[in-house]
Amino acid sequence: ITNVSHDLKTPLTSIISYVDLLSREDLPESARDYVNILADKSGRLKNIVSDLFDLAKSTSGNLPLDMENLDLKKLIEQTLGDMEDDIVRSDIRIKTDLSDDPVYIYSDGKKLYRVFQNIIGNALKYSLSGTRVFISMEIQDSTVDVTVKNTASYDMDFTAEEVLQRFSRGDKSRTTEGSGLGLSIAESFTWVCGGKFKVEIDGDQFKVRLKFPVVSVQEISK
């Protein structure tokens, strides 16, 4: 997969570059519409190829990591802040129940940012209109549990194992433009970053649970 993804990148980069050049030309209105569609679809294809590349590296153990002590609460809040435009455009509200104090873990901040971005983005995309996404944090026995829960907009006639398979999508009608790689990447990145990842399905409730060992303030100060 890594080799194929790399081979796809070169011609795809050329396509995107020429589409960009076309968009700067003085084109008829109908042709401009076609160019805009080409730009959108080629950009989406680029994201899928990039996701494939990252997933292949993480599952093969070749994903470079930058491990450090980081504040998990702050990371979640930063992710939500960066996704504010997507949240506002959706008909979904976010409700958080996070720790009042910083919660430190030893992990890779950039990879975990991608994890939460994928999980929250998935919840926004597949939630029932007008409902809420709940993000909660609980600390027990030197571990921190983060749960992201949403109400699905479709019948979830699949198991947790099935939805985590590559290219698998809960929305089998494929009315959205997801690739089916978002949760697979989130799961793989979580494990390589020292955490545990679990999907739970309860009726129309879809839950993603992450668990990490907590780093004490005393350990950080050493």
Side-chain angles (χ1 to χ4, degrees), residues 131-187:
T131 58
R132 293 182 290 180
V133 172
F134 296 88
I135 304 175
S136 60
M137 176 183 286
E138 184 178 2
I139 301 175
Q140 282 187 338
D141 301 327
S142 299
T143 62
V144 55
D145 284 274
V146 178
T147 301
V148 180
K149 179 175 67 174
N150 68 284
T151 302
S153 61
Y154 53 90
D155 292 333
M156 293 191 288
D157 55 347
F158 51 82
T159 65
E161 290 75 20
E162 287 172 339
V163 81
L164 287 174
Q165 292 177 3
R166 297 176 190 180
F167 300 107
S168 174
R169 292 172 58 184
D171 177 20
K172 292 185 173 134
S173 63
R174 293 185 175 263
T175 55
T176 60
E177 291 200 340
S179 66
L181 292 173
L183 284 181
S184 294
I185 291 172
E187 180 191 33

Tab-separated table of all heavy atoms in Angstrom, residues 131-187:
chain	number	residue	atom	x	y	z
A	131	THR	N	-29.132	16.861	16.869
A	131	THR	CA	-28.714	16.195	18.105
A	131	THR	C	-27.385	16.767	18.598
A	131	THR	O	-26.839	17.696	18.009
A	131	THR	CB	-28.588	14.678	17.898
A	131	THR	OG1	-27.651	14.414	16.840
A	131	THR	CG2	-29.936	14.074	17.525
A	132	ARG	N	-26.874	16.174	19.679
A	132	ARG	CA	-25.623	16.635	20.265
A	132	ARG	C	-24.558	15.544	20.231
A	132	ARG	O	-24.871	14.359	20.273
A	132	ARG	CB	-25.840	17.084	21.714
A	132	ARG	CG	-26.690	18.330	21.848
A	132	ARG	CD	-26.825	18.764	23.293
A	132	ARG	NE	-27.652	17.843	24.072
A	132	ARG	CZ	-27.917	18.007	25.360
A	132	ARG	NH1	-27.417	19.034	26.022
A	132	ARG	NH2	-28.680	17.125	26.003
A	133	VAL	N	-23.312	15.978	20.175
A	133	VAL	CA	-22.166	15.086	20.326
A	133	VAL	C	-21.596	15.335	21.717
A	133	VAL	O	-21.298	16.480	22.078
A	133	VAL	CB	-21.088	15.352	19.251
A	133	VAL	CG1	-19.823	14.552	19.556
A	133	VAL	CG2	-21.610	14.993	17.864
A	134	PHE	N	-21.481	14.283	22.496
A	134	PHE	CA	-20.979	14.397	23.862
A	134	PHE	C	-19.526	13.946	23.926
A	134	PHE	O	-19.193	12.854	23.464
A	134	PHE	CB	-21.823	13.542	24.811
A	134	PHE	CG	-23.253	13.985	24.934
A	134	PHE	CD1	-24.213	13.517	24.056
A	134	PHE	CD2	-23.632	14.882	25.922
A	134	PHE	CE1	-25.539	13.924	24.160
A	134	PHE	CE2	-24.947	15.299	26.036
A	134	PHE	CZ	-25.905	14.819	25.157
A	135	ILE	N	-18.681	14.795	24.495
A	135	ILE	CA	-17.267	14.455	24.687
A	135	ILE	C	-16.982	14.543	26.178
A	135	ILE	O	-17.044	15.624	26.777
A	135	ILE	CB	-16.345	15.411	23.912
A	135	ILE	CG1	-16.708	15.417	22.426
A	135	ILE	CG2	-14.888	15.009	24.104
A	135	ILE	CD1	-15.931	16.425	21.610
A	136	SER	N	-16.697	13.411	26.787
A	136	SER	CA	-16.492	13.375	28.236
A	136	SER	C	-15.134	12.779	28.578
A	136	SER	O	-14.539	12.043	27.787
A	136	SER	CB	-17.598	12.556	28.917
A	136	SER	OG	-17.599	11.223	28.442
A	137	MET	N	-14.659	13.118	29.777
A	137	MET	CA	-13.359	12.663	30.252
A	137	MET	C	-13.508	12.180	31.684
A	137	MET	O	-14.142	12.844	32.507
A	137	MET	CB	-12.347	13.816	30.160
A	137	MET	CG	-10.972	13.501	30.720
A	137	MET	SD	-9.891	14.962	30.629
A	137	MET	CE	-9.537	15.020	28.874
A	138	GLU	N	-12.932	11.023	31.975
A	138	GLU	CA	-13.001	10.459	33.323
A	138	GLU	C	-11.652	9.862	33.690
A	138	GLU	O	-11.049	9.148	32.883
A	138	GLU	CB	-14.087	9.388	33.396
A	138	GLU	CG	-14.296	8.812	34.792
A	138	GLU	CD	-15.415	7.793	34.833
A	138	GLU	OE1	-16.001	7.497	33.768
A	138	GLU	OE2	-15.688	7.264	35.930
A	139	ILE	N	-11.188	10.162	34.898
A	139	ILE	CA	-9.897	9.651	35.371
A	139	ILE	C	-10.143	8.608	36.450
A	139	ILE	O	-10.820	8.871	37.439
A	139	ILE	CB	-9.015	10.787	35.927
A	139	ILE	CG1	-8.761	11.835	34.837
A	139	ILE	CG2	-7.694	10.230	36.458
A	139	ILE	CD1	-8.014	13.042	35.318
A	140	GLN	N	-9.589	7.406	36.228
A	140	GLN	CA	-9.731	6.303	37.180
A	140	GLN	C	-8.466	5.457	37.172
A	140	GLN	O	-7.970	5.080	36.103
A	140	GLN	CB	-10.924	5.404	36.822
A	140	GLN	CG	-12.277	5.962	37.222
A	140	GLN	CD	-13.393	4.957	36.996
A	140	GLN	OE1	-13.249	4.030	36.199
A	140	GLN	NE2	-14.492	5.113	37.698
A	141	ASP	N	-7.961	5.160	38.391
A	141	ASP	CA	-6.826	4.241	38.523
A	141	ASP	C	-5.660	4.607	37.607
A	141	ASP	O	-5.134	3.767	36.868
A	141	ASP	CB	-7.271	2.801	38.236
A	141	ASP	CG	-8.373	2.335	39.185
A	141	ASP	OD1	-8.363	2.770	40.346
A	141	ASP	OD2	-9.230	1.554	38.744
A	142	SER	N	-5.269	5.864	37.646
A	142	SER	CA	-4.101	6.357	36.886
A	142	SER	C	-4.277	6.257	35.375
A	142	SER	O	-3.306	6.236	34.620
A	142	SER	CB	-2.827	5.600	37.295
A	142	SER	OG	-2.560	5.790	38.668
A	143	THR	N	-5.527	6.178	34.912
A	143	THR	CA	-5.795	6.214	33.479
A	143	THR	C	-6.880	7.248	33.208
A	143	THR	O	-7.697	7.560	34.082
A	143	THR	CB	-6.276	4.856	32.936
A	143	THR	OG1	-7.506	4.505	33.561
A	143	THR	CG2	-5.235	3.775	33.174
A	144	VAL	N	-6.865	7.784	32.006
A	144	VAL	CA	-7.898	8.740	31.602
A	144	VAL	C	-8.684	8.136	30.451
A	144	VAL	O	-8.104	7.621	29.498
A	144	VAL	CB	-7.290	10.111	31.202
A	144	VAL	CG1	-6.229	9.960	30.121
A	144	VAL	CG2	-8.382	11.067	30.751
A	145	ASP	N	-9.997	8.161	30.591
A	145	ASP	CA	-10.903	7.671	29.548
A	145	ASP	C	-11.578	8.857	28.882
A	145	ASP	O	-12.156	9.708	29.562
A	145	ASP	CB	-11.979	6.765	30.143
A	145	ASP	CG	-11.453	5.383	30.481
A	145	ASP	OD1	-11.444	4.533	29.590
A	145	ASP	OD2	-11.055	5.176	31.633
A	146	VAL	N	-11.523	8.917	27.571
A	146	VAL	CA	-12.230	9.936	26.810
A	146	VAL	C	-13.271	9.240	25.939
A	146	VAL	O	-12.946	8.307	25.199
A	146	VAL	CB	-11.280	10.764	25.926
A	146	VAL	CG1	-12.065	11.792	25.118
A	146	VAL	CG2	-10.228	11.460	26.773
A	147	THR	N	-14.521	9.677	26.058
A	147	THR	CA	-15.604	9.082	25.267
A	147	THR	C	-16.230	10.142	24.372
A	147	THR	O	-16.546	11.241	24.832
A	147	THR	CB	-16.702	8.496	26.182
A	147	THR	OG1	-16.130	7.501	27.023
A	147	THR	CG2	-17.814	7.862	25.355
A	148	VAL	N	-16.372	9.818	23.089
A	148	VAL	CA	-17.078	10.676	22.134
A	148	VAL	C	-18.323	9.900	21.705
A	148	VAL	O	-18.219	8.829	21.125
A	148	VAL	CB	-16.203	11.022	20.919
A	148	VAL	CG1	-16.975	11.919	19.954
A	148	VAL	CG2	-14.906	11.696	21.359
A	149	LYS	N	-19.490	10.459	22.011
A	149	LYS	CA	-20.748	9.749	21.776
A	149	LYS	C	-21.684	10.583	20.924
A	149	LYS	O	-21.841	11.778	21.137
A	149	LYS	CB	-21.419	9.433	23.122
A	149	LYS	CG	-22.751	8.718	23.009
A	149	LYS	CD	-23.288	8.339	24.398
A	149	LYS	CE	-23.668	9.554	25.218
A	149	LYS	NZ	-24.323	9.187	26.495
A	150	ASN	N	-22.315	9.954	19.930
A	150	ASN	CA	-23.279	10.663	19.086
A	150	ASN	C	-24.440	9.748	18.725
A	150	ASN	O	-24.347	8.521	18.850
A	150	ASN	CB	-22.612	11.191	17.810
A	150	ASN	CG	-22.187	10.084	16.864
A	150	ASN	OD1	-21.179	9.412	17.100
A	150	ASN	ND2	-22.933	9.894	15.788
A	151	THR	N	-25.533	10.358	18.291
A	151	THR	CA	-26.714	9.615	17.847
A	151	THR	C	-26.665	9.503	16.333
A	151	THR	O	-26.640	10.522	15.639
A	151	THR	CB	-28.011	10.322	18.283
A	151	THR	OG1	-28.014	10.458	19.703
A	151	THR	CG2	-29.236	9.541	17.842
A	152	ALA	N	-26.660	8.288	15.814
A	152	ALA	CA	-26.497	8.064	14.378
A	152	ALA	C	-27.744	8.473	13.602
A	152	ALA	O	-28.867	8.376	14.099
A	152	ALA	CB	-26.187	6.595	14.105
A	153	SER	N	-27.543	8.896	12.374
A	153	SER	CA	-28.650	9.317	11.504
A	153	SER	C	-29.131	8.183	10.609
A	153	SER	O	-29.949	8.398	9.722
A	153	SER	CB	-28.199	10.497	10.629
A	153	SER	OG	-27.109	10.106	9.802
A	154	TYR	N	-28.634	6.975	10.838
A	154	TYR	CA	-28.963	5.835	9.991
A	154	TYR	C	-29.014	4.584	10.865
A	154	TYR	O	-28.578	4.591	12.021
A	154	TYR	CB	-27.912	5.663	8.887
A	154	TYR	CG	-26.504	5.609	9.438
A	154	TYR	CD1	-25.922	4.396	9.797
A	154	TYR	CD2	-25.774	6.777	9.622
A	154	TYR	CE1	-24.654	4.354	10.330
A	154	TYR	CE2	-24.498	6.736	10.157
A	154	TYR	CZ	-23.945	5.522	10.514
A	154	TYR	OH	-22.683	5.482	11.047
A	155	ASP	N	-29.543	3.499	10.334
A	155	ASP	CA	-29.585	2.235	11.062
A	155	ASP	C	-28.189	1.626	11.110
A	155	ASP	O	-27.585	1.359	10.068
A	155	ASP	CB	-30.548	1.252	10.379
A	155	ASP	CG	-32.003	1.700	10.489
A	155	ASP	OD1	-32.318	2.413	11.461
A	155	ASP	OD2	-32.795	1.361	9.595
A	156	MET	N	-27.694	1.385	12.320
A	156	MET	CA	-26.341	0.833	12.471
A	156	MET	C	-26.412	-0.693	12.502
A	156	MET	O	-26.296	-1.323	13.551
A	156	MET	CB	-25.670	1.395	13.726
A	156	MET	CG	-25.383	2.881	13.633
A	156	MET	SD	-24.320	3.496	14.962
A	156	MET	CE	-25.457	3.419	16.358
A	157	ASP	N	-26.608	-1.274	11.338
A	157	ASP	CA	-26.707	-2.729	11.230
A	157	ASP	C	-25.338	-3.337	10.943
A	157	ASP	O	-25.127	-4.042	9.955
A	157	ASP	CB	-27.714	-3.115	10.150
A	157	ASP	CG	-27.410	-2.478	8.808
A	157	ASP	OD1	-26.570	-1.538	8.772
A	157	ASP	OD2	-27.985	-2.901	7.794
A	158	PHE	N	-24.381	-3.025	11.814
A	158	PHE	CA	-23.030	-3.535	11.689
A	158	PHE	C	-22.441	-3.657	13.088
A	158	PHE	O	-22.973	-3.105	14.041
A	158	PHE	CB	-22.162	-2.600	10.828
A	158	PHE	CG	-22.219	-1.156	11.260
A	158	PHE	CD1	-21.439	-0.692	12.312
A	158	PHE	CD2	-23.071	-0.260	10.625
A	158	PHE	CE1	-21.507	0.635	12.716
A	158	PHE	CE2	-23.138	1.065	11.021
A	158	PHE	CZ	-22.347	1.511	12.074
A	159	THR	N	-21.337	-4.365	13.192
A	159	THR	CA	-20.667	-4.514	14.480
A	159	THR	C	-19.536	-3.491	14.587
A	159	THR	O	-19.119	-2.884	13.594
A	159	THR	CB	-20.083	-5.917	14.637
A	159	THR	OG1	-19.035	-6.101	13.657
A	159	THR	CG2	-21.158	-6.981	14.437
A	160	ALA	N	-19.025	-3.345	15.811
A	160	ALA	CA	-17.902	-2.427	16.029
A	160	ALA	C	-16.685	-2.881	15.230
A	160	ALA	O	-15.937	-2.051	14.695
A	160	ALA	CB	-17.565	-2.374	17.515
A	161	GLU	N	-16.487	-4.192	15.123
A	161	GLU	CA	-15.337	-4.715	14.369
A	161	GLU	C	-15.464	-4.387	12.881
A	161	GLU	O	-14.487	-4.042	12.222
A	161	GLU	CB	-15.234	-6.236	14.554
A	161	GLU	CG	-14.821	-6.689	15.948
A	161	GLU	CD	-15.944	-6.550	16.960
A	161	GLU	OE1	-17.131	-6.468	16.531
A	161	GLU	OE2	-15.654	-6.503	18.171
A	162	GLU	N	-16.680	-4.472	12.356
A	162	GLU	CA	-16.896	-4.224	10.932
A	162	GLU	C	-16.633	-2.770	10.564
A	162	GLU	O	-16.044	-2.476	9.517
A	162	GLU	CB	-18.329	-4.602	10.545
A	162	GLU	CG	-18.578	-6.106	10.499
A	162	GLU	CD	-20.044	-6.448	10.314
A	162	GLU	OE1	-20.905	-5.596	10.619
A	162	GLU	OE2	-20.332	-7.574	9.869
A	163	VAL	N	-17.064	-1.840	11.409
A	163	VAL	CA	-16.926	-0.419	11.068
A	163	VAL	C	-15.473	0.041	11.148
A	163	VAL	O	-15.108	1.074	10.575
A	163	VAL	CB	-17.824	0.446	11.980
A	163	VAL	CG1	-17.179	0.692	13.338
A	163	VAL	CG2	-18.151	1.783	11.306
A	164	LEU	N	-14.618	-0.729	11.837
A	164	LEU	CA	-13.211	-0.359	11.939
A	164	LEU	C	-12.370	-0.930	10.803
A	164	LEU	O	-11.189	-0.631	10.691
A	164	LEU	CB	-12.630	-0.826	13.282
A	164	LEU	CG	-13.082	-0.017	14.496
A	164	LEU	CD1	-12.576	-0.660	15.782
A	164	LEU	CD2	-12.605	1.425	14.401
A	165	GLN	N	-12.980	-1.753	9.956
A	165	GLN	CA	-12.247	-2.278	8.810
A	165	GLN	C	-12.002	-1.164	7.792
A	165	GLN	O	-12.806	-0.252	7.644
A	165	GLN	CB	-13.033	-3.415	8.152
A	165	GLN	CG	-13.144	-4.655	9.014
A	165	GLN	CD	-13.991	-5.736	8.383
A	165	GLN	OE1	-14.472	-5.579	7.257
A	165	GLN	NE2	-14.188	-6.823	9.092
A	166	ARG	N	-10.904	-1.255	7.091
A	166	ARG	CA	-10.561	-0.223	6.101
A	166	ARG	C	-11.627	-0.137	5.020
A	166	ARG	O	-12.095	-1.151	4.521
A	166	ARG	CB	-9.203	-0.537	5.460
A	166	ARG	CG	-8.064	-0.515	6.456
A	166	ARG	CD	-6.773	-0.927	5.799
A	166	ARG	NE	-5.737	-1.127	6.806
A	166	ARG	CZ	-4.499	-1.489	6.519
A	166	ARG	NH1	-4.144	-1.704	5.278
A	166	ARG	NH2	-3.618	-1.652	7.479
A	167	PHE	N	-11.962	1.072	4.663
A	167	PHE	CA	-12.948	1.403	3.629
A	167	PHE	C	-14.375	1.038	4.036
A	167	PHE	O	-15.288	1.134	3.233
A	167	PHE	CB	-12.614	0.738	2.279
A	167	PHE	CG	-11.290	1.154	1.730
A	167	PHE	CD1	-10.218	0.282	1.741
A	167	PHE	CD2	-11.107	2.417	1.213
A	167	PHE	CE1	-8.980	0.662	1.243
A	167	PHE	CE2	-9.882	2.812	0.712
A	167	PHE	CZ	-8.825	1.939	0.735
A	168	SER	N	-14.551	0.614	5.294
A	168	SER	CA	-15.902	0.313	5.765
A	168	SER	C	-16.573	1.598	6.214
A	168	SER	O	-15.965	2.433	6.860
A	168	SER	CB	-15.844	-0.676	6.937
A	168	SER	OG	-17.129	-0.871	7.476
A	169	ARG	N	-17.861	1.746	5.857
A	169	ARG	CA	-18.612	2.930	6.257
A	169	ARG	C	-19.947	2.494	6.820
A	169	ARG	O	-20.639	1.636	6.265
A	169	ARG	CB	-18.828	3.860	5.056
A	169	ARG	CG	-17.534	4.490	4.577
A	169	ARG	CD	-17.738	5.235	3.284
A	169	ARG	NE	-18.741	6.276	3.402
A	169	ARG	CZ	-19.137	7.013	2.372
A	169	ARG	NH1	-18.642	6.798	1.181
A	169	ARG	NH2	-20.037	7.953	2.538
A	170	GLY	N	-20.307	3.110	7.962
A	170	GLY	CA	-21.589	2.784	8.563
A	170	GLY	C	-22.744	3.204	7.677
A	170	GLY	O	-23.756	2.516	7.578
A	171	ASP	N	-22.578	4.345	7.006
A	171	ASP	CA	-23.609	4.847	6.101
A	171	ASP	C	-23.493	4.098	4.780
A	171	ASP	O	-22.816	4.536	3.849
A	171	ASP	CB	-23.409	6.359	5.893
A	171	ASP	CG	-24.400	6.930	4.904
A	171	ASP	OD1	-25.433	6.291	4.672
A	171	ASP	OD2	-24.127	8.017	4.377
A	172	LYS	N	-24.140	2.948	4.686
A	172	LYS	CA	-23.980	2.093	3.507
A	172	LYS	C	-24.590	2.713	2.261
A	172	LYS	O	-24.283	2.307	1.148
A	172	LYS	CB	-24.589	0.724	3.786
A	172	LYS	CG	-23.773	-0.029	4.834
A	172	LYS	CD	-24.289	-1.423	5.035
A	172	LYS	CE	-23.305	-2.151	5.953
A	172	LYS	NZ	-23.866	-2.889	7.006
A	173	SER	N	-25.480	3.673	2.428
A	173	SER	CA	-26.036	4.344	1.254
A	173	SER	C	-25.018	5.286	0.621
A	173	SER	O	-25.173	5.736	-0.490
A	173	SER	CB	-27.286	5.149	1.648
A	173	SER	OG	-26.946	6.178	2.560
A	174	ARG	N	-23.942	5.577	1.387
A	174	ARG	CA	-22.850	6.447	0.909
A	174	ARG	C	-23.360	7.790	0.404
A	174	ARG	O	-22.975	8.254	-0.673
A	174	ARG	CB	-22.032	5.726	-0.186
A	174	ARG	CG	-21.278	4.526	0.369
A	174	ARG	CD	-20.388	3.871	-0.655
A	174	ARG	NE	-19.622	2.803	-0.018
A	174	ARG	CZ	-18.374	2.930	0.429
A	174	ARG	NH1	-17.778	4.097	0.341
A	174	ARG	NH2	-17.746	1.924	0.988
A	175	THR	N	-24.228	8.392	1.198
A	175	THR	CA	-24.735	9.714	0.842
A	175	THR	C	-23.733	10.807	1.183
A	175	THR	O	-23.878	11.940	0.751
A	175	THR	CB	-26.058	9.995	1.573
A	175	THR	OG1	-25.862	9.820	2.988
A	175	THR	CG2	-27.145	9.034	1.112
A	176	THR	N	-22.699	10.473	1.972
A	176	THR	CA	-21.643	11.424	2.281
A	176	THR	C	-20.378	11.013	1.541
A	176	THR	O	-20.318	9.931	0.950
A	176	THR	CB	-21.366	11.464	3.793
A	176	THR	OG1	-20.970	10.151	4.213
A	176	THR	CG2	-22.610	11.880	4.555
A	177	GLU	N	-19.342	11.862	1.613
A	177	GLU	CA	-18.140	11.601	0.834
A	177	GLU	C	-16.992	11.073	1.678
A	177	GLU	O	-15.835	11.313	1.388
A	177	GLU	CB	-17.712	12.869	0.098
A	177	GLU	CG	-18.665	13.275	-1.004
A	177	GLU	CD	-18.022	14.202	-2.007
A	177	GLU	OE1	-16.987	14.824	-1.665
A	177	GLU	OE2	-18.527	14.312	-3.127
A	178	GLY	N	-17.292	10.335	2.741
A	178	GLY	CA	-16.236	9.743	3.534
A	178	GLY	C	-15.544	8.623	2.770
A	178	GLY	O	-16.126	8.002	1.891
A	179	SER	N	-14.292	8.355	3.132
A	179	SER	CA	-13.523	7.310	2.452
A	179	SER	C	-13.613	5.980	3.175
A	179	SER	O	-13.256	4.942	2.617
A	179	SER	CB	-12.049	7.726	2.361
A	179	SER	OG	-11.480	7.784	3.653
A	180	GLY	N	-14.063	5.991	4.430
A	180	GLY	CA	-14.075	4.772	5.217
A	180	GLY	C	-12.744	4.493	5.890
A	180	GLY	O	-12.517	3.397	6.394
A	181	LEU	N	-11.834	5.479	5.894
A	181	LEU	CA	-10.520	5.298	6.502
A	181	LEU	C	-10.349	6.067	7.807
A	181	LEU	O	-9.406	5.818	8.550
A	181	LEU	CB	-9.419	5.744	5.522
A	181	LEU	CG	-9.239	4.888	4.269
A	181	LEU	CD1	-8.247	5.554	3.323
A	181	LEU	CD2	-8.755	3.500	4.640
A	182	GLY	N	-11.255	7.005	8.088
A	182	GLY	CA	-11.085	7.897	9.236
A	182	GLY	C	-10.954	7.180	10.562
A	182	GLY	O	-10.022	7.439	11.336
A	183	LEU	N	-11.871	6.251	10.856
A	183	LEU	CA	-11.813	5.536	12.123
A	183	LEU	C	-10.653	4.548	12.165
A	183	LEU	O	-10.058	4.322	13.228
A	183	LEU	CB	-13.134	4.812	12.386
A	183	LEU	CG	-14.309	5.682	12.834
A	183	LEU	CD1	-15.545	4.820	13.084
A	183	LEU	CD2	-13.965	6.464	14.105
A	184	SER	N	-10.314	3.948	11.026
A	184	SER	CA	-9.169	3.029	10.974
A	184	SER	C	-7.882	3.756	11.316
A	184	SER	O	-7.033	3.246	12.057
A	184	SER	CB	-9.049	2.394	9.584
A	184	SER	OG	-10.144	1.555	9.306
A	185	ILE	N	-7.731	4.967	10.782
A	185	ILE	CA	-6.552	5.778	11.081
A	185	ILE	C	-6.550	6.186	12.545
A	185	ILE	O	-5.521	6.123	13.227
A	185	ILE	CB	-6.503	7.022	10.169
A	185	ILE	CG1	-6.226	6.601	8.728
A	185	ILE	CG2	-5.445	8.014	10.643
A	185	ILE	CD1	-6.341	7.735	7.730
A	186	ALA	N	-7.709	6.597	13.063
A	186	ALA	CA	-7.809	6.996	14.472
A	186	ALA	C	-7.428	5.838	15.384
A	186	ALA	O	-6.698	6.016	16.365
A	186	ALA	CB	-9.222	7.485	14.783
A	187	GLU	N	-7.912	4.648	15.064
A	187	GLU	CA	-7.592	3.473	15.883
A	187	GLU	C	-6.097	3.167	15.824
A	187	GLU	O	-5.449	2.963	16.865
A	187	GLU	CB	-8.384	2.266	15.394
A	187	GLU	CG	-8.093	1.006	16.203
A	187	GLU	CD	-8.666	-0.249	15.568
A	187	GLU	OE1	-8.728	-0.316	14.321
A	187	GLU	OE2	-9.043	-1.162	16.323
